[in-house]
Amino acid sequence: MNTAYLVDDRFLLHDDFDHPENAARLRSVLRTLESSQILPELTRLEPRDATMDEIVAVHHPRMIQHTQRMALFGGGRLNPDTYVVPESWEVATLAAGAVARAVEAVVGGEVRNAFALVRPPGHHATPSTAMGFCLINHVAVAAQVARQQLGIQRVAIIDWDTHHGNGTQDIFYDDPQVLYVSSHTYPFYPGTGHWRELGSGAGEGTTLNIPLPAHTGDRAFERVYETLVARAVRRFAPELIIVSAGYDCHWRDPLAPMAMSVTGFARLAQLVVALADEVCNGRLVCALEGGYDLQALAEGVLATLRVLQGKPELVADSLGTHPEAKLDLEPMIAAIARIHPLLT
Ligand SMILES: [Zn+2]
């Protein structure tokens, strides 16, 4: 079975060239995918719009109306870092629907796995607030579509963006059927993601936060994923894995202080593909989140697609690795393994 990608020219309409989250990001990804010759080897799926019912399943109607109204009246700023243009609501609805369509195709057996190349990102959008460049939480919408429409009960969301996905965490914080795992720079925007944030009520233990210091690089990330992430996902036994795939942990990223390389992203993708093969028949969907160095972003997406299609030997990394800080994460890994209900 094939690997699918989903993209749409309308994702370019949400744009502010003065803002780091602009349409040049997706243009860079598309240019790189076209010149790599990978696209003919993949299945192209057309995104669909998310329905209002699907969006209301994760967001408060007042928040939706607020963004819609701002778009209708010509755009503006929902907060200092989150912009809206007249097309933004339509674009975000299509982006959420694209991730949902990817989930439908993977769960329905049309394709082996899929990558939704969407904009704007989604993981900071909470039930009631659009923030951090995000208008709708796409992976949350897609996880709920899987559970409410496709007969899936347990979904694991793995978030390797450099920022903590506070929105995704909030949406599923007391839900025992959705595991949210995030590795992220800490302390950093948006301020959440301490390891003691474990979920609450029936959902206690189905949130796993792995806060990482600045300058964390490939080897440390690999160690974190081989130990904590793999163990938590195995124990949780999901029927589907969705990845919030951000590329702002790359050493060249202008917004973040991490030290990963494109090769490092490929390695994380390999570990997650192997986990999906082991626990959920390979059912894996990636959704694009952040990544603000245009070349690192594009090469990171291409590397991930090469791994998804089972050709890791074709991963190319023209930017190379960065001297990795000698960080001893073992005490932190041991501490998280000791306190987290899913790991003990
Ligand atoms: Zn990010």
Side-chain angles (χ1 to χ4, degrees), residues 123-124 161-163 248 290 292:
H123 70 155
H124 294 304
D161 188 282
T162 201
H163 302 95
D248 37 14
Y292 304 96

Side-chain angles (χ1 to χ4, degrees), residues 103 138-148 155 157 172 178 240 242:
V103 164
H138 317 308
V139 299
V141 168
Q144 294 297 54
V145 165
R147 295 165 72 207
Q148 293 170 359
V155 181
I157 298 171
F172 298 114
V178 177
L240 167 71
I242 303 177

Side-chain angles (χ1 to χ4, degrees), residues 26-336:
L26 189 56
R27 283 197 199 95
S28 173
V29 169
L30 292 175
R31 258 197 316 273
T32 295
L33 296 185
E34 274 156 23
S35 63
S36 74
Q37 311 288 337
I38 192 177
L39 295 179
E41 300 174 22
L42 305 175
T43 299
R44 178 167 180 158
L45 296 174
E46 294 306 317
R48 65 168 177 85
D49 290 320
T51 67
M52 190 51 78
D53 282 349
E54 289 166 349
I55 298 169
V56 168
V58 301
H59 292 300
H60 197 285
R62 254 204 323 267
M63 162 192 176
I64 295 168
Q65 286 159 10
H66 189 50
T67 307
Q68 283 177 318
R69 208 166 291 149
M70 187 172 283
L72 192 64
F73 288 105
R77 296 242 168 185
L78 289 164
N79 53 55
D81 61 17
T82 309
Y83 69 88
V84 171
V85 300
E87 297 87 353
S88 292
W89 181 254
E90 178 198 332
V91 173
T93 300
L94 188 66
V99 185
R101 175 72 186 94
V103 164
E104 288 162 354
V106 168
V107 173
E110 288 173 63
V111 293
R112 178 165 177 260
N113 49 36
F115 199 151
L117 303 170
V118 298
R119 286 189 59 250
H123 70 155
H124 294 304
T126 75
S128 60
T129 309
M131 61 179 280
F133 318 164
C134 303
L135 303 177
I136 296 175
N137 196 311
H138 317 308
V139 299
V141 168
Q144 294 297 54
V145 165
R147 295 165 72 207
Q148 293 170 359
Q149 301 177 32
L150 305 176
I152 294 285
Q153 296 190 356
R154 296 163 74 77
V155 181
I157 298 171
I158 299 174
D159 187 335
W160 72 48
D161 188 282
T162 201
H163 302 95
H164 180 238
N166 59 306
T168 314
Q169 171 168 300
D170 280 5
I171 289 164
F172 298 114
Y173 206 55
D174 55 6
D175 189 333
Q177 302 289 70
V178 177
L179 172 66
Y180 177 63
V181 179
S182 176
S183 56
H184 47 269
T185 315
Y186 190 91
F188 201 49
Y189 182 88
T192 49
H194 195 283
W195 67 16
R196 289 194 200 90
E197 295 165 27
L198 305 167
S200 67
E204 189 174 327
T206 55
T207 294
L208 169 59
N209 281 304
I210 306 162
L212 298 168
H215 313 302
T216 299
D218 294 349
R219 265 173 313 181
F221 264 98
E222 190 171 335
R223 176 85 185 122
V224 159
Y225 275 70
E226 278 173 349
T227 56
L228 300 175
V229 177
R231 205 182 317 161
V233 171
R234 279 190 197 112
R235 291 255 176 99
F236 182 74
E239 299 158 76
L240 167 71
I241 296 175
I242 303 177
V243 176
S244 266
Y247 295 87
D248 37 14
C249 282
H250 194 275
W251 61 267
R252 288 233 311 201
D253 196 275
L255 299 192
M258 301 305 249
M260 271 189 73
S261 69
V262 168
T263 306
F265 287 120
R267 185 67 194 130
L268 292 196
Q270 276 183 287
L271 290 168
V272 173
V273 165
L275 262 180
D277 283 341
E278 185 185 326
V279 301
C280 55
N281 291 324
R283 287 198 285 253
L284 175 61
V285 168
C286 294
L288 185 60
E289 299 279 2
Y292 304 96
D293 178 85
L294 298 186
Q295 197 177 343
L297 167 67
E299 289 193 24
V301 169
L302 174 58
T304 305
L305 279 164
R306 284 298 187 199
V307 171
L308 290 179
Q309 69 167 172
K311 296 182 179 177
E313 69 280 5
L314 296 182
V315 168
D317 182 353
S318 78
L319 300 171
T321 54
H322 193 64
E324 185 170 344
K326 291 216 179 326
L327 298 166
D328 183 9
L329 297 184
E330 294 306 319
M332 183 210 65
I333 289 172
I336 294 177

